[in-house]
Amino acid sequence: MTNININSTIVYICKLPTQGWINLALIRQIQYEDLNYAPVALVTWSNGEKQTFHRDNAQALIDSWNEVTRTLEQPCNHRQLNRRCQ
């Protein structure tokens, strides 16, 4: 299983196909495994409770998690973005 950790005070939400919306910022850890083309994600919440997501819900969760991870890994270029065009 692969472990990925995100520690952030910002809210990141994810829409699951059959289980509504979840806040990724409340997740402490995700363990992900693809068993015979049926994804499974074991989530450890910030309060220590665990929850398992299967198939489409697991895939949506891990896709959103990876997107947030990529966003957080990008360097902040706010100085270049805030320069006025001359």
Side-chain angles (χ1 to χ4, degrees), residues 26-85:
L26 296 177
I27 295 174
R28 181 185 305 162
Q29 181 182 41
I30 296 179
Q31 295 175 311
Y32 178 77
E33 199 168 327
D34 197 354
L35 302 171
N36 298 325
Y37 303 102
V40 176
L42 175 64
V43 170
T44 303
W45 297 100
S46 58
N47 64 3
E49 292 183 18
K50 295 185 181 210
Q51 184 175 1
T52 304
F53 295 88
H54 300 276
R55 301 188 185 275
D56 292 342
N57 291 322
Q59 192 62 54
L61 177 62
I62 204 66
D63 289 346
S64 294
W65 187 264
N66 287 334
E67 183 178 333
V68 168
T69 301
R70 281 190 301 275
T71 300
L72 293 173
E73 288 175 344
Q74 292 175 358
C76 180
N77 292 323
H78 66 277
R79 288 184 182 163
Q80 286 184 336
L81 295 174
N82 289 331
R83 288 186 183 167
R84 294 183 183 180
C85 295

